[in-house]
């Protein structure tokens, strides 16, 4: 199978064009930066395309945002000002919401739309992970992005085609969810192919900012055109991910050997590329065809099955932890704009557009949280301790946001970013560095790769929680937002608790090392003490 893949695959056409224009090839470092940038943009497009449903909820819901409230300018900038023309236009376009979401069960239907997308996303993830370890990642990722763009755009066209059948919107979200499942296993596998474990937490923490950048971009895009018709809020992000898929097809080198670098398992996991002399790097590039083919076969090998990957130590605990972590994170992702538009902040209600813009601050905190969690886990060499600590810290941060976030606008901004930091920190760490670590675990003995498969198991299980969180919120919110926040707090607590065994193992390992070091140092000083006597 590997030889067949090598025959079908080749250098991406965009790279061939750049080589011919430059007259020479890129350096190894340049390729790695290009891979980071391209995968960053790709997954930012994925997340941007998931935001429209959260932005338009308040427009489609049978109990729209309180448009009749007095309007006072916000003190910070025009970005969050409740402008009169926005309120007037939105109320003119959607005087009674949009059928079939403008009835008594409208909130539940919106929750069902979310869960349909996420259920198909999570189920598709398990299949996509296995396919990602056997197919060409570049073409696989391209197909997923273009397919996602088409069906997200079709959802928005329901507005222009005046479609009011619930099954249409449900079906579009389900198919879009299946295409979206191709994204995460693919991009993590590509990063794992190019980067080893050295500083992986920090690198992937910075790289994982694409999640928040994508959420922010999607929110701003969807909110900016909402007054012209909610269909545009889907068509623009759909077009964005469609164009992103074409870019990936043209320029992404998913495997080092595709561009003549036969270095298996992410280059520096066996060879420290950072300290590699240039002449040695050139020799690696030059290697004969047999060596390149052998390295390519070893790097992909035979795909690891789902059951086999489940038995890799740490996969199940982190997968279950991510179940509850994503339940919390995706509830914020899908319902925070709606919560903001329905909750008085400093005695005022914000418009739909302002709520969408304001919700991006949660993702700003998430960027910091992902980087911080990655850096701390690298410094401590303790992924489980870092993830569990962040999950426990998320509990008081969510309590503070619920009870004090409505006091004033500035308080809401600060507490929302703090909550985003602790909620998204462990979510980012587990889906990036932890997945990549386990996908190249020593138990695989170098015989095969499991990056996409392990990533799919962990993130697929997490996506089940991501589907249930928004669904439960649709029902629980009828009893009040305090009940929703209690669900989120319970989820964060269970997520931290599920890592207890791994946390204890890391603590024992570290205390054992420290004790061993003290014993060695004590033995070394004993002769000196005897000499002094």
């Amino acid at each position: 199978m590997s030889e067949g893949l090598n025959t079908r695959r080749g250098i991406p056409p965009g790279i061939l064009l750049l080589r011919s224009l430059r007259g020479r090839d890129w350096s190894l470092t340049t390729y790695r930066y290009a891979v980071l940038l391209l995968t960053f943009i790709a997954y930012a497009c994925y997340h941007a395309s998931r935001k429209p449903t959260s932005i338009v909820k308040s427009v489609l819901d049978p109990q729209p945002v309180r448009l009749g409230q007095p309007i006072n300018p916000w003190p910070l900038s025009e970005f969050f000002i409740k402008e009169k023309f926005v309120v007037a236009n939105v109320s003119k376009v959607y005087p009674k919401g949009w059928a079939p979401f403008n009835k008594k069960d409208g909130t539940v239907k919106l929750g069902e739309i979310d869960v349909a997308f996420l259920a198909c996303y999570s189920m598709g993830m398990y299949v996509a992970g296995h396919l990602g370890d056997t197919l060409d990642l570049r073409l696989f990722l391209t197909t997923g992005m273009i397919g996602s763009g088409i069906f997200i755009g079709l959802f928005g066209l329901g507005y222009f085609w005046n479609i009011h059948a619930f099954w249409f919107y449900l079906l579009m979200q389900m198919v879009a969810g299946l295409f979206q499942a191709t994204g995460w296993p693919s991009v993590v596998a590509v990063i794992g192919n190019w980067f080893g474990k050295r500083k992986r937490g920090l690198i992937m923490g910075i790289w994982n900012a694409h999640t928040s950048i994508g959420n922010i971009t999607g929110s701003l895009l969807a909110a900016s055109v909402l007054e012209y018709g909610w269909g545009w809020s889907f068509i623009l992000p759909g077009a964005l991910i469609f164009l992103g898929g074409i870019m990936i097809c043209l320029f992404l080198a998913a495997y080092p050997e595709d561009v003549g670098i036969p270095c298996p398992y992410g280059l520096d996991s066996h060879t420290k590329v950072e300290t590699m002399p240039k002449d040695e790097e050139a020799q690696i590039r030059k290697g004969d065809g047999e060596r390149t083919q052998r390295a390519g076969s070893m790097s992909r090998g035979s795909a690891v099955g789902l059951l086999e990957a489940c038995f890799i130590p740490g996969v199940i605990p982190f997968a279950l932890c991510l179940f509850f972590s994503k339940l919390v994170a995706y509830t914020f992702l899908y319902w925070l704009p709606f919560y903001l538009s329905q909750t008085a902040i400093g005695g005022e209600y914000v418009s739909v557009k302002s709520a969408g813009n304001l919700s991006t601050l949660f993702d700003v905190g998430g960027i910091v949280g992902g980087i911080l969690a990655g850096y701390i886990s690298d410094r401590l060499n303790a992924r489980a301790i870092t993830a569990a600590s962040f999950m426990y810290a998320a509990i008081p941060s969510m309590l503070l946001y619920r009870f004090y976030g409505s006091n004033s606008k500035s308080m809401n901004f600060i507490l929302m970013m703090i909550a985003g930091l602790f909620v998204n920190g462990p979510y980012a760490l587990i889906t990036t560095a932890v997945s990549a670590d386990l996908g190249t675990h020593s138990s695989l003995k170098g015989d095969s790769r499991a990056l996409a498969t392990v990533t799919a198991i962990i993130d697929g299980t997490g996506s089940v929680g991501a589907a249930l969180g928004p669904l439960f919120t649709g029902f629980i919110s009828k009893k009040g937002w305090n009940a929703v926040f209690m669900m989120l707090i319970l989820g964060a607590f269970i997520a931290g608790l599920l890592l207890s065994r791994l946390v204890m193992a890391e603590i024992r390992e570290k205390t054992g090392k420290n004790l061993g070091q003290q014993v060695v140092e004590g033995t070394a000083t004993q002769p000196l003490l005897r000499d002094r006597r």
Side-chain angles (χ1 to χ4, degrees):
M1 182 179 285
S2 293
E3 292 181 5
L5 282 171
N6 285 333
T7 303
R8 292 194 298 272
R9 272 203 352 251
I11 301 173
I15 293 179
L16 279 175
L17 178 63
L18 290 174
R19 280 183 179 180
S20 63
L21 292 175
R22 295 178 76 246
R24 56 193 176 91
D25 198 5
W26 285 344
S27 67
L28 177 63
T29 303
T30 303
Y31 272 119
R32 297 177 84 175
Y33 282 132
V35 166
L36 278 175
L37 178 62
L38 287 169
T39 52
F40 184 99
I41 294 173
Y43 211 68
C45 290
Y46 272 99
H47 262 265
S49 66
R50 297 174 193 172
K51 284 298 292 184
T53 51
S54 67
I55 300 299
V56 303
K57 270 188 173 72
S58 296
V59 168
L60 307 178
D61 190 75
Q63 294 178 344
V65 177
R66 298 160 178 81
L67 300 174
Q69 296 293 325
I71 298 173
N72 298 312
W74 285 38
L76 295 181
S77 67
E78 293 184 357
F79 186 68
F80 294 126
I81 287 181
K82 301 191 299 180
E83 297 169 291
K84 291 183 180 180
F85 79 89
V86 172
V87 176
N89 286 347
V90 170
S91 61
K92 185 185 297 183
V93 177
Y94 318 105
K96 297 180 181 179
W98 184 269
F101 306 106
N102 60 350
K103 299 177 182 178
K104 290 183 179 180
D105 61 345
T107 304
V108 174
K109 275 187 164 60
L110 289 171
E112 289 173 354
I113 288 284
D114 291 340
V115 79
F117 171 86
L118 292 168
C120 290
Y121 175 77
S122 59
M123 288 187 293
M125 185 80 72
Y126 295 103
V127 179
H130 185 69
L131 291 175
D133 280 330
T134 55
L135 301 178
D136 182 356
L137 284 171
R138 177 174 65 89
L139 297 180
F140 189 57
L141 188 58
T142 299
T143 303
M145 295 181 73
I146 290 176
S148 296
I150 291 171
F151 283 93
I152 289 164
L154 285 173
F155 190 103
L157 286 174
Y159 168 78
F160 299 99
W161 294 341
N162 201 29
I163 295 175
H164 296 280
F166 177 67
W167 66 265
F168 173 81
Y169 299 106
L170 188 69
L171 182 62
M172 293 304 102
Q173 283 292 80
M174 290 172 69
V175 179
L178 290 174
F179 277 105
Q180 291 258 323
T182 61
W184 191 241
S186 299
V187 295
V188 172
V190 170
I191 292 297
N193 290 337
W194 283 93
F195 292 87
K197 294 185 178 181
R198 188 169 180 266
K199 294 184 179 179
R200 179 177 278 170
L202 178 60
I203 291 172
M204 286 192 156
I206 297 171
W207 172 75
N208 194 65
H210 54 52
T211 299
S212 298
I213 294 294
N215 290 341
I216 293 169
T217 303
S219 296
L220 297 180
L221 271 178
S224 66
V225 294
L226 187 60
E227 61 193 278
Y228 303 110
W230 63 260
W232 288 110
S233 296
F234 287 87
I235 291 174
L236 255 63
L240 179 67
I241 192 171
F242 186 95
L243 294 174
I246 295 174
M247 177 193 67
I248 290 297
C249 183
L250 292 176
F251 296 104
L252 179 66
Y255 309 91
E257 59 267 24
D258 282 356
V259 288
I261 306 175
C263 299
Y265 294 113
L267 301 168
D268 64 352
S269 56
H270 292 297
T271 306
K272 292 187 178 179
V273 175
E274 291 82 1
T275 59
M276 184 185 292
K278 287 187 178 180
D279 56 345
E280 187 177 342
E281 179 185 331
Q283 195 152 10
I284 286 177
R285 286 178 174 277
K286 186 180 177 181
D288 59 13
E290 181 183 354
R291 184 182 175 191
T292 303
Q293 186 175 357
R294 185 171 65 250
S297 299
M298 183 168 69
S299 70
R300 288 179 302 280
S302 57
V304 172
L306 285 173
L307 187 61
E308 185 182 353
C310 286
F311 286 102
I312 297 174
V315 168
I316 296 300
F318 275 113
L320 293 175
C321 173
L322 191 64
F323 175 95
F324 290 97
S325 177
K326 288 192 77 169
L327 184 150
V328 177
Y330 268 66
T331 299
F332 276 100
L333 175 70
Y334 279 93
W335 285 94
L336 184 57
F338 184 81
Y339 170 76
L340 289 168
S341 65
Q342 298 292 322
T343 305
I345 303 173
E348 299 176 1
Y349 290 95
V350 299
S351 68
V352 177
K353 183 176 181 178
S354 295
N357 293 336
L358 182 58
S359 67
T360 61
L361 295 176
F362 183 85
D363 294 298
V364 172
I367 295 174
V368 179
I371 296 172
L372 190 61
Y375 175 76
I376 293 173
S377 69
D378 276 344
R379 293 286 294 177
L380 298 178
N381 191 25
R383 308 288 197 210
I385 292 174
T386 306
S389 299
F390 270 67
M391 289 312 308
Y392 290 134
I395 295 173
S397 71
M398 287 188 288
L399 282 172
L400 288 172
Y401 178 67
R402 171 56 185 160
F403 292 113
Y404 296 99
S406 58
N407 286 358
S408 66
K409 301 175 184 68
S410 57
M411 183 72 75
N412 193 286
F413 299 159
I414 294 169
L415 293 178
M416 189 190 304
M417 285 191 287
I418 292 173
L421 186 153
F422 288 116
V423 168
N424 284 344
Y427 160 40
L429 179 65
I430 294 171
T431 54
T432 54
V434 170
S435 296
D437 287 350
L438 295 176
T440 53
H441 195 270
S442 58
S443 64
L444 296 172
K445 298 179 181 178
D447 292 334
S448 55
R449 292 303 302 275
L451 272 171
T453 304
V454 168
T455 302
I457 291 171
I458 292 176
D459 201 45
T461 304
S463 296
V464 177
L468 293 177
L471 176 66
F472 291 160
T473 302
F475 293 100
I476 298 174
S477 61
K478 294 182 177 180
K479 298 181 179 180
W481 288 106
N482 285 343
V484 173
F485 274 83
M486 286 306 299
M487 178 191 75
L488 299 179
I489 289 165
L490 182 62
F493 177 75
I494 295 174
L497 206 61
L498 285 166
L499 294 181
S500 297
R501 189 172 180 180
L502 295 177
V503 168
M504 293 305 297
E506 287 180 351
I507 292 173
R508 282 195 300 270
E509 181 184 355
K510 292 190 172 302
T511 54
K513 283 182 179 179
N514 293 335
L515 183 61
Q517 185 177 357
Q518 290 174 6
V519 170
V520 171
E521 290 175 353
T523 304
T525 57
Q526 279 178 6
L528 296 174
L529 293 173
R530 282 197 295 268
D531 291 341
R532 287 179 184 175
R533 289 178 190 144

